[in-house]
Amino acid sequence: MTSSALTRPGQRERLSEKLTEIDWRLALVLTVIAGLGGMILYSAAGNNWGPWADKHLIRYGLCLLIMLGLSLIGLRIWFAAAYPAYALALFLLLLVPVIGHSSLGAKRWVFGIQPSEIMKVALVLALARFYHGLTSREAAMSWKLLIPVGLIGVPVLLVAHQPDLGTAILLAVTGFGIMVLGGLSWRLMTSAVVLGGAAVAPFVMFVLKPYQRDRLLTFLHPEDDPSGLGYHITQSKIAIGSGGLMGKGFGLGSQSQLNFLPEKQTDFVFSTFGEEFGLVGCVGLLVLYGLAIAIALRIASISHSHFGRLSAAGVTITFALYVLVNAAMVMGLAPVVGVPMPLMSYGGTVMVTVMVCFGLVEAVRVHRYEEMPSGRGSLL
Amino acid sequence: MSLEPSIFFDEVNERQGVFHRRAFILGGFAGVGALTLIGRLADLQLVEGARYQLLSNSNQFNFRIRPPPRGRILDRNGIELASNRPDFRVLYRKGEAKEDAADTLAKVAELIPITEQKQKSLLKEIANAPKATPIALANDLSWDDFTRINVRTPELPGVAADMTDSRVYPFGGAFAHVIGYVARVSAEDVEREKTPDGKPDRLLLDPGFRIGKQGVEKALDQQLRGHPGGQKVEVDSVGRVVREDPAGDIHAIPGKDVVLTLDADIQNRALEVFGQDSGAAVMMDVRTGDVLCMMSAPSFDANQFVSGIPSAEYKMLSDYDHKPLINKALAGLYHPGSTFKTIVSLAALEAGVDPKRTYTCNGAFAFGNHVFHCDKHHGTLDMHGAIVTSCDVFFYQTALVVGPDKIAEVARKFGLGQIYDIGVSGQRRGIVPDTAWKKKYFAKQSAEAQRWWPGETPSMGIGQGYTDVNALQLCVMASRLANAKKALNPRLIRSIGGVEEPRGSEVEDLPFNADHIQFVRAAMASVANDAAGTAFEFAQLGLGPIKMAGKTGTAQSHNYVSGHGQHGAVGAWATRDNAWFIAFAPYDDPRYALSVLVEHGGFGASAAAPKAREIMRVALLKDPEVRARVEQPLPLPPTNPNADTGDVAPPPPSDIPGAPPQGPSGPQLQNPNTTDQPT
């Protein structure tokens, strides 16, 4: 865009230059999505700013500032912080079972934060850093791949133990995605997918807690359990389906207004949106999410450093997974695993996580020419 | 940390290339995922959209049930026998209240009186009731209480004051057995009337709804019930009403009115003349078969059952030896006694017995090793005389001549031993015995027991032995005798919702010689009008030329020989004879036939005939044509001075009640209306 590879020394370090390098189209798309989120939360509260819409928009404003601030941080600093951040996140995750605060039957909180959220970014950074120092041959198939498997596996197991199945799946798939992008050989990739698929059945039967198993299996036949777990899915499908082509209109969604739709402001906010804006609104919203993902992937691909590429792409995978899993969940295509719709669902933690992710993406764009150390053979 | 730039360009380029290719593939995956989602959206919102819209609407809207007004039950002249009155009540809808029911109830109790005990039982009821079922906190509120609670309902979650219909029986007991009553819906009722998908009918769960439990109310419950309406309301997920939508209300379809053939005046008079006595009276119009009166005494107040009769009172009713809860007109079986002699005579005439043949009565008749008694020494009698004086000895012997099978055949033709389709249940068939019946009835016993013994025939000749009838059957018998032509059937339900039911006169003719029936009718006229007649003292109508014909019956309730039974009106009430009187009037142009049973009343003549007379008088005086004959109008005074001031003297007043009948014994068979009768 405005800047080229040919710049005067130090020019790229200037704040004004950095600000122009920020991808404002991405910021705009994210803001539009968050604005729609605020709008639907206003409607879900019976056309009231409180208790959700106002906080949602204020939070987004703050998170946008965080994103912009993070985008100014040089990639080398991100690079240097990768392993310490991972170590910190892992430490906090280990603390959770010990001094964690439980909520709704699951221990997820420690010191007022969810370590699993930090881990979402930290895992991406750590993997990106690790692959940055790996040759393509090593990345394809070598004993060194046991290190990323460990980097992914340990937090995934810890998070699944909390239990927070949604986040665990998110971490696992994101990590695997980075391994693929890093150059995992097709043979290993295929066997991993096959092994993973084969492990699902015994995992579901023996490792999962009963409520998780019920949740997983109910989505297949929600009508069998109309007042329990199936109620969520059934009412969500009714909400979306009754929206029709054009929707019932802003503020007129009876399913959400009359509380038939559970968690209408959090995990099922997409259903609320679908009821009021119909197929047209839903496709439009998915196009906006797709646009954000496409821009982020484009940013990843123009980065000059492997670390930049993988870290930006990694967080984009996380973001895309949020959207896909949540949308599939509320439409009855996937189990109810408690994954919110990023930027739409009411809730601060995920908003911060997602905007930190996009801060990283923007930082990769702003610092796409930055020379990176090889990082080979050293953990720091 | 080394800051040297990476110089493995080949390596770097290869990694970059792999990344680009794979990022492209990943992007493709995301695209496929997005397309899947859009496909699913199209499936939900377009293909299945209409279905989900329906589901959403059924979530959003609910119908509060509006019970339909129950159809009225009217007498033949349109007088309400069962109707509805407004009932102001307070309902509690559990599903619409979040707050503690006890608090709400306590607040309600401050506004209207609800006793502590009642509050406790209400709380129990609320706790047990399904969420969708409203509970009535109070019924029959005064207007003051109603308005007081109505203005406060916004502060009382789940409480609503409304007006509903409550069943009322204006005549209390007079029609209780025929009409029956409505009462609270029982668990069995709900179970029986479940909708095809196994859900309870919501109408039945409404606290104001009552279901027919007896008589016409039960038999025609569906027609009387109507179809409920609905008040459309928008509800949230916990069922609380958010908004009412009057435009979407469905109006209730009221139940159909049922018109009975009964006449309220006759029925009321019947109950009145019974006083403390137990028994039944049935009257039919002998031209149409319409039942004008079907009364069972003593009766009970059907209104008590609507709100729920206290168990102590119910126990009193069911324990009373006069059995007020039983409809004796249909379910009470008694020996017909001497009223059955009409049938025996007819059977004899049909069998070719000469009516002039005489028997001599000296008070007893020995047959085999048994002596059959008569209550008098009647001397030598022909058939006419035997009916008039009700001589048993004559009929013992006549019955032996005719035989049980012939008698039974005639009895059945005249309607005994039958159950009629009158629209209400509860009839008992009774017994018209003959040889075939006995064989069948004692099928499990020895051949000896199955055989008809000749010694059983004399008893049958006087309406005793096995013979059992109810009051309706005897009234049908009297009607067919009075009609003389048609085998009339009784009709109780005149119309349902304006659609007339088939008449009881649309039937075949009786297969009997008209002269034979006429002979019996003439004898019945003498019973009531000849000085020698058993009912002469008791059956004078006092309506001038209008005379009644009848037959008395005094039937054993228990066998005298065993020591349990008491002849006549002596001894313990429950051991006395049952008194019958069947009648029709006017005897020269029959219009009304009647059977009266006085349970343990003693003699048919003294106990039953006077009641029959009073009931019959009401029917006759209500009949304008009969009344015209009775009243014999005075000639009008001249209104036109120019007109001929005629000198026709006013006729003497109509004859004095109780005066001896004029003319020869036996009925005047020509219709007196055809001639202008000066007296």
Side-chain angles (χ1 to χ4, degrees):
Chain A
M1 299 235 296
T2 49
S3 56
S4 71
L6 300 171
T7 48
R8 287 186 293 276
Q11 183 185 349
R12 294 200 185 105
E13 299 305 316
R14 291 219 299 271
L15 183 62
S16 61
E17 186 64 25
K18 282 193 175 188
L19 286 177
T20 58
E21 284 297 304
I22 288 175
D23 192 328
W24 291 102
R25 296 169 309 172
L26 181 59
L28 178 69
V29 171
L30 297 179
T31 306
V32 169
I33 294 174
L36 288 173
M39 196 170 96
I40 205 67
L41 290 175
Y42 174 85
S43 165
N47 293 343
N48 280 311
W49 287 108
W52 304 310
D54 49 358
K55 282 196 199 134
H56 180 81
L57 291 176
I58 291 166
R59 271 184 201 153
Y60 177 74
L62 294 173
C63 286
L64 187 66
L65 291 178
I66 292 172
M67 181 190 96
L68 294 175
L70 289 175
S71 68
L72 303 178
I73 295 173
L75 266 193
R76 266 181 251 179
I77 297 168
W78 287 100
F79 187 85
Y83 286 150
Y86 181 85
L88 176 68
L90 198 61
F91 176 68
L92 291 176
L93 267 182
L94 286 166
L95 275 186
V96 167
V98 185
I99 58 161
H101 171 71
S102 85
S103 152
L104 299 172
K107 274 191 177 177
R108 294 177 186 174
W109 297 81
V110 64
F111 304 136
I113 50 169
Q114 293 188 42
S116 58
E117 293 298 317
I118 301 176
M119 184 50 90
K120 279 174 191 162
V121 184
L123 177 66
V124 168
L125 286 174
L127 286 171
R129 166 153 191 185
F130 178 79
Y131 271 92
H132 184 79
L134 222 57
T135 65
S136 64
R137 197 178 301 258
E138 286 168 330
M141 194 188 303
S142 81
W143 65 269
K144 286 192 175 174
L145 290 184
L146 289 176
I147 292 168
V149 168
L151 285 176
I152 298 164
V154 172
V156 165
L157 289 177
L158 283 173
V159 171
H161 178 74
Q162 284 181 354
D164 183 355
L165 207 60
T167 304
I169 292 169
L170 228 56
L171 286 173
V173 177
T174 302
F176 184 67
I178 294 174
M179 288 179 76
V180 169
L181 287 172
L184 190 65
S185 82
W186 289 103
R187 211 177 328 149
L188 271 182
M189 203 193 304
T190 317
S191 24
V193 169
V194 170
L195 276 178
V200 163
F203 178 75
V204 167
M205 293 319 295
F206 301 114
V207 181
L208 289 185
K209 307 208 166 185
Y211 92 91
Q212 291 174 310
R213 188 159 57 233
D214 286 348
R215 270 191 161 193
L216 277 182
L217 300 179
T218 303
F219 91 99
L220 296 171
H221 303 287
E223 288 79 9
D224 291 352
D225 184 17
S227 57
L229 288 168
Y231 180 82
H232 287 57
I233 302 167
T234 305
Q235 295 301 337
S236 170
K237 279 160 77 178
I238 291 174
I240 296 174
S242 63
L245 181 65
M246 300 302 294
K248 292 177 182 170
F250 180 65
L252 299 175
S254 60
Q255 285 286 103
S256 53
Q257 305 282 342
L258 301 172
N259 288 324
F260 288 103
L261 189 61
E263 298 182 47
K264 58 183 177 185
Q265 80 282 14
T266 54
D267 286 4
F268 287 88
V269 75
F270 186 78
S271 312
T272 311
F273 187 84
E275 184 182 21
E276 299 197 350
F277 297 103
L279 181 65
V280 172
C282 286
V283 171
L285 187 64
L286 287 179
V287 165
L288 283 175
Y289 277 113
L291 211 55
I293 292 164
I295 293 171
L297 276 182
R298 169 73 187 155
I299 289 169
S301 65
I302 61 171
S303 170
H304 284 204
S305 64
H306 204 49
F307 173 76
R309 276 195 287 271
L310 286 178
S311 54
V315 293
T316 308
I317 291 172
T318 304
F319 180 73
L321 279 174
Y322 266 121
V323 177
L324 289 174
V325 171
N326 177 270
M329 176 179 103
V330 300
M331 293 178 206
L333 286 177
V336 179
V337 286
V339 172
M341 185 58 102
L343 302 176
M344 293 275 288
S345 291
Y346 179 77
T349 313
V350 174
M351 174 90 81
V352 171
T353 307
V354 165
M355 291 308 277
V356 167
C357 285
F358 281 108
L360 173 55
V361 171
E362 291 283 22
V364 168
R365 187 178 197 282
V366 171
H367 307 99
R368 62 187 179 278
Y369 301 117
E370 198 161 297
E371 293 293 335
M372 301 296 289
S374 78
R376 197 179 290 220
S378 110
L379 276 175
L380 281 174
Chain B
M1 194 191 288
S2 156
L3 286 177
E4 274 152 324
S6 173
I7 54 163
F8 302 101
F9 287 113
D10 291 350
E11 173 62 29
V12 166
N13 286 345
E14 194 186 334
R15 291 197 307 188
Q16 189 174 3
V18 168
F19 176 86
H20 279 162
R21 286 196 298 276
R22 294 198 171 174
F24 195 77
I25 292 168
L26 273 190
F29 270 118
V32 169
L35 283 178
T36 311
L37 292 179
I38 289 170
R40 175 66 168 178
L41 280 171
D43 175 45
L44 288 176
Q45 298 186 312
L46 299 184
V47 181
E48 303 242 33
R51 185 168 79 88
Y52 283 117
Q53 243 145 36
L54 215 66
L55 286 170
S56 160
N57 283 344
S58 73
N59 266 347
Q60 183 182 2
F61 296 107
N62 211 337
F63 284 94
R64 275 181 183 167
I65 203 106
R66 279 275 170 87
R70 195 172 171 88
R72 296 174 305 162
I73 301 176
L74 308 170
D75 91 333
R76 62 188 299 111
N77 301 313
I79 294 170
E80 288 179 344
L81 308 180
S83 60
N84 304 310
R85 61 176 171 79
D87 174 8
F88 297 108
R89 61 178 182 174
V90 179
L91 289 188
Y92 182 73
R93 287 193 177 83
K94 192 178 168 184
E96 297 179 11
K98 241 181 185 171
E99 286 74 1
D100 185 31
D103 292 351
T104 309
L105 192 56
K107 280 188 209 156
V108 171
E110 288 169 15
L111 300 171
I112 52 172
I114 303 177
T115 60
E116 294 256 332
Q117 199 183 354
K118 171 91 175 156
Q119 283 187 44
K120 266 184 201 159
S121 72
L122 279 173
L123 281 176
K124 208 179 277 173
E125 204 180 329
I126 290 167
N128 294 333
K131 212 167 156 187
T133 310
I135 291 116
L137 299 183
N139 281 82
D140 288 324
L141 292 180
S142 68
W143 178 249
D144 282 350
D145 284 343
F146 179 69
T147 48
R148 197 174 317 132
I149 203 98
N150 217 357
V151 296
R152 297 286 293 276
T153 47
E155 314 153 30
L156 301 166
V159 174
D162 75 350
M163 194 195 88
T164 186
D165 285 327
S166 185
R167 200 61 157 171
V168 64
Y169 302 104
F171 292 103
F175 295 87
H177 297 100
V178 181
I179 290 179
Y181 50 83
V182 293
R184 278 172 195 277
V185 177
S186 69
E188 294 87 60
D189 296 327
V190 175
E191 191 61 34
R192 194 177 55 245
E193 298 201 23
K194 273 195 170 171
T195 52
D197 53 345
K199 287 181 185 160
D201 187 337
R202 284 177 61 204
L203 176 60
L204 266 61
L205 299 180
D206 187 275
F209 183 77
R210 294 287 182 273
I211 198 163
K213 292 281 187 184
Q214 288 289 330
V216 175
E217 293 272 33
K218 182 184 183 186
L220 299 179
D221 191 55
Q222 291 296 333
Q223 289 92 327
L224 288 164
R225 189 185 290 182
H227 294 280
Q231 183 189 13
K232 193 179 181 187
V233 289
E234 193 175 342
V235 294
D236 67 7
S237 60
V238 293
R240 265 174 306 180
V241 171
V242 178
R243 198 168 61 85
E244 294 183 353
D245 180 8
D249 286 357
I250 297 170
H251 293 286
I253 301 169
K256 290 174 180 166
D257 281 355
V258 170
V259 180
L260 302 183
T261 57
L262 297 179
D263 185 303
D265 294 327
I266 302 172
Q267 182 96 358
N268 279 321
R269 182 64 177 146
L271 183 67
E272 194 175 70
V273 298
F274 263 79
Q276 296 297 311
D277 288 341
S278 170
V282 180
M283 179 185 275
M284 280 168 64
D285 185 318
V286 306
R287 294 162 300 178
T288 62
D290 282 1
V291 177
L292 299 172
C293 164
M294 183 187 282
M295 191 281 311
S296 178
S299 193
F300 58 91
D301 185 1
N303 290 305
Q304 283 193 300
F305 286 81
V306 178
S307 50
I309 185 166
S311 55
E313 278 184 51
Y314 186 82
K315 194 172 175 349
M316 276 170 66
L317 285 174
S318 62
D319 288 353
Y320 184 34
D321 64 355
H322 283 40
K323 299 288 177 212
L325 293 174
I326 290 172
N327 185 359
K328 299 186 186 84
L330 301 180
L333 289 180
Y334 309 90
H335 300 314
S338 301
T339 59
F340 194 66
K341 288 171 183 167
T342 55
I343 296 297
V344 178
S345 302
L346 202 56
L349 293 171
E350 288 289 315
V353 173
D354 181 4
K356 294 290 168 208
R357 173 171 178 180
T358 58
Y359 291 99
T360 302
C361 167
N362 52 16
F365 169 65
F367 184 73
N369 55 4
H370 188 78
V371 176
F372 294 90
H373 292 278
C374 190
D375 61 350
K376 269 187 197 158
H377 293 251
H378 290 101
T380 302
L381 293 163
D382 65 0
M383 194 181 283
H384 183 90
I387 295 174
V388 171
T389 59
S390 200
C391 173
D392 289 348
V393 168
F394 182 93
F395 283 98
Y396 293 141
Q397 294 171 81
T398 306
L400 283 168
V401 172
V402 181
D405 289 354
K406 181 69 184 170
I407 297 172
E409 183 199 325
V410 174
R412 292 201 186 99
K413 290 264 162 50
F414 273 84
L416 304 185
Q418 285 180 40
I419 284 178
Y420 295 96
D421 178 20
I422 55 171
V424 298
S425 57
Q427 292 176 63
R428 287 176 70 194
R429 187 181 294 278
I431 298 166
V432 177
D434 58 12
T435 52
W437 168 83
K438 199 176 177 204
K439 201 170 172 123
K440 202 174 151 198
Y441 191 78
F442 293 103
K444 286 182 181 159
Q445 298 184 30
S446 66
E448 296 287 283
Q450 291 178 28
R451 194 181 142 200
W452 185 279
W453 298 91
E456 293 170 317
T457 311
S459 299
M460 188 178 176
I462 60 160
Q464 297 284 156
Y466 296 114
T467 326
D468 263 340
V469 297
N470 65 35
L472 174 66
Q473 288 168 349
L474 272 196
C475 183
V476 169
M477 182 182 95
S479 302
R480 290 183 181 181
L481 282 169
N483 185 287
K485 193 166 182 305
K486 295 215 171 268
L488 284 177
N489 280 326
R491 177 175 77 159
L492 181 63
I493 314 289
R494 181 151 152 175
S495 66
I496 301 171
V499 181
E500 180 150 6
E501 295 286 292
R503 286 165 185 269
S505 54
E506 289 157 5
V507 287
E508 291 179 5
D509 287 355
L510 287 164
F512 294 108
N513 186 329
D515 291 344
H516 295 162
I517 298 177
Q518 199 50 63
F519 177 88
V520 175
R521 282 156 43 114
M524 286 172 72
S526 297
V527 167
N529 298 295
D530 277 9
T534 49
F536 174 70
E537 286 177 69
F538 306 102
Q540 296 303 315
L541 290 170
L543 296 177
I546 309 300
K547 303 288 182 191
M548 184 161 76
K551 182 70 195 83
T552 53
T554 304
Q556 294 178 14
S557 63
H558 295 81
N559 196 330
Y560 305 146
V561 179
S562 69
H564 295 297
Q566 301 279 347
H567 189 48
V570 293
W573 177 78
T575 65
R576 295 178 195 169
D577 288 345
N578 294 316
W580 279 108
F581 193 69
I582 62 169
F584 60 85
Y587 70 159
D588 48 3
D589 176 26
R591 287 173 180 237
Y592 307 106
L594 175 68
S595 70
V596 170
L597 163 78
V598 184
E599 204 179 24
H600 307 304
F603 294 106
S606 58
K611 294 184 170 66
R613 177 186 68 204
E614 292 306 315
I615 299 166
M616 189 63 94
R617 273 172 60 95
V618 177
L620 292 169
L621 287 169
K622 274 198 86 171
D623 186 324
E625 288 172 34
V626 175
R627 201 184 172 100
R629 279 178 64 191
V630 175
E631 283 176 347
Q632 310 233 350
L634 298 167
L636 291 168
T639 51
N640 183 347
N642 298 330
D644 179 16
T645 54
D647 53 356
V648 181
S654 60
D655 69 354
I656 302 124
Q662 298 113 19
S665 65
Q668 295 174 319
L669 295 178
Q670 77 278 22
N671 186 339
N673 279 345
T674 54
T675 56
D676 215 351
Q677 261 203 335
T679 19

